[in-house]
Amino acid sequence: MTIKDVIRHLEHKAPPVYQEAYDNSGLIVGNAALDCSGALVCLDSTEAVIDEAIKLGYNLVIAHHPIVFKGLKRLTGKSYIERVLIKAIKHDIAIYAIHTNLDNVRKGVNKMICKKIGVVHRSVLKPKASIMRELKLLCPAEQVDVLRNALVKAGAGFSPSKQVLDFNALGVTHHAEDGTAMAQLEMRMLYPISKEQQVLKALKKTHPSKHPHFTIQEVLNTTHKIGSGMIGSLKEPMSALKFLKHLKKQMGAKCIRHTALLGKPIKKVAVCGGSGGFLLRDAIAQGADIFITADYKYHEFFDADGRIIIADIGHYESEQYTIELISEILSKKFDNFAVSKTKQITNPVHYL
């Protein structure tokens, strides 16, 4: 099994197209064509994590956070980022990041938080809306599977209702270029604008006709299964203080920074792993009693304005169970494949 095989499965669960524009998910360094000797899962690719992978004999590190967000002009070892990359390259270790695309899928980071603290009847807090394009074309029935697979590989096949959209079978008859009649099927597939060049290239290369007829139109892809944060309810209401103590214990938080308690029980809960302050209005609009996230600044706490409790549990603490999530995704797919959860605590924040 190659590193590419592992990546392909991860991207089936959390397609790269769902990552945010600022993100840098994907293969950061390494050769995906190499056989994979094992995968070490972590939140952050630190030097200690790379050393751990070397000791285990693994050549793939799967991190939640990308080690590189911005372009690097040189690799001299002056920063921890450069040292990590140099060591990984020297020891033929690939580093792969699965970040906001894993945040944005329904069975991702936020589901893990909800699961740990007992939030049920869950739904995406802020569904993701993006402009996509719909490719519509005719294809001979016997060539549909080949063409569809080529288009999916190129980045097409996404739809508001499911990740991969099958063709719509419409029985029509079309006269081929040689004058014979043949049954054709109409195919409709969505793809992100960024993938248009690859999709059209795959279409022209794979379609049996030299000049395939197709149309393209823009569509608004809004899905309630993909997006930021999650909201749900507790099985039974809890007092705010009792819930905060429960939250602290379940999430292994050293402390919780929170706004004033509002004197009413907690029933509806909104969460967002990592820096989720941008979702506060959505949490309020949907009637959440508490919003759990991280990285809140002093003045931002005022935005609760007596309408909701903000609970900042820490960035690492909110995402630590992502390691467990990624490990489960791989272990369920590959029976005889070495997957280990890092023993390193990569949280850069310490508490006195």
Side-chain angles (χ1 to χ4, degrees), residues 79-147:
S79 71
Y80 86 93
I81 293 175
E82 294 175 15
R83 291 192 296 272
V84 166
L85 295 177
I86 290 172
K87 183 170 288 189
I89 293 171
K90 182 178 179 180
H91 293 274
D92 285 329
I93 294 175
I95 300 176
Y96 179 83
I98 182 167
H99 190 209
T100 54
N101 48 325
L102 189 60
D103 289 335
N104 285 334
V105 293
R106 189 168 184 174
K107 295 183 179 180
V109 176
N110 295 303
K111 181 185 176 182
M112 289 299 289
I113 299 174
C114 290
K115 182 179 177 181
K116 292 296 180 181
I117 63 177
V119 175
V120 296
H121 306 303
R122 302 177 291 260
S123 61
V124 172
L125 180 58
K126 186 175 184 179
K128 190 175 183 64
S130 60
I131 296 296
M132 300 188 77
R133 287 182 174 165
E134 182 187 57
L135 174 66
K136 180 180 176 181
L137 70 152
L138 294 176
C139 179
E142 64 273 13
Q143 293 292 323
V144 163
D145 288 339
V146 174
L147 180 57

Side-chain angles (χ1 to χ4, degrees), residues 11 31 35 61 63 83 93 95 118-119 174 183 189 191 195 216 220 236 259 262 267 275 292 294 298 338 345:
E11 294 186 346
N31 183 356
D35 287 336
V61 168
R83 291 192 296 272
I93 294 175
I95 300 176
V119 175
H174 178 72
M189 302 187 82
Y191 61 88
K195 296 290 185 179
I216 295 174
L220 183 63
E236 297 293 338
T259 53
L262 303 178
K267 176 63 176 177
S275 306
I292 302 163
Y298 175 83
I345 304 299

Side-chain angles (χ1 to χ4, degrees), residues 252-269:
K254 301 294 184 182
C255 71
I256 296 179
R257 299 189 304 144
H258 63 85
T259 53
L261 305 187
L262 303 178
K264 62 179 183 178
I266 302 296
K267 176 63 176 177
K268 203 167 187 180
V269 179

Side-chain angles (χ1 to χ4, degrees), residues 176-249:
E177 294 172 356
D178 62 1
T180 60
M182 57 183 175
Q184 298 219 349
L185 297 177
E186 182 182 76
M187 298 176 64
R188 298 180 185 224
M189 302 187 82
L190 295 180
Y191 61 88
I193 295 176
S194 61
K195 296 290 185 179
E196 182 157 280
Q197 185 176 356
Q198 297 96 308
V199 169
L200 293 181
K201 183 177 179 181
L203 168 62
K204 294 175 182 177
K205 181 180 179 180
T206 312
H207 198 283
S209 174
K210 293 181 180 180
H211 304 287
H213 176 72
F214 61 89
T215 59
I216 295 174
Q217 65 178 3
E218 288 192 348
V219 294
L220 183 63
N221 178 34
T222 304
T223 170
H224 293 290
K225 294 184 179 181
I226 303 298
S228 304
M230 190 157 279
I231 190 167
S233 58
L234 301 177
K235 292 181 180 179
E236 297 293 338
M238 298 174 66
S239 71
L241 183 58
K242 183 178 180 180
F243 178 76
L244 286 173
K245 290 180 178 179
H246 166 74
L247 174 65
K248 183 178 180 180
K249 179 181 179 181

Side-chain angles (χ1 to χ4, degrees), residues 64-65 99 103 109-110 113 272-278 291-296 312 314-319:
H64 184 46
H65 299 134
H99 190 209
D103 289 335
V109 176
N110 295 303
I113 299 174
C272 181
S275 306
F278 66 100
F291 177 44
I292 302 163
T293 188
D295 297 343
Y296 251 81
D312 185 328
H315 197 119
Y316 178 88
E317 289 77 6
S318 72
E319 294 183 331

Side-chain angles (χ1 to χ4, degrees), residues 136-173:
K136 180 180 176 181
L137 70 152
L138 294 176
C139 179
E142 64 273 13
Q143 293 292 323
V144 163
D145 288 339
V146 174
L147 180 57
R148 181 184 57 202
N149 290 337
L151 293 175
V152 169
K153 187 175 181 180
F158 296 96
S159 78
S161 59
K162 48 189 174 180
Q163 289 182 9
V164 178
L165 178 65
D166 225 340
F167 62 87
N168 293 322
L170 301 178
V172 297
T173 301

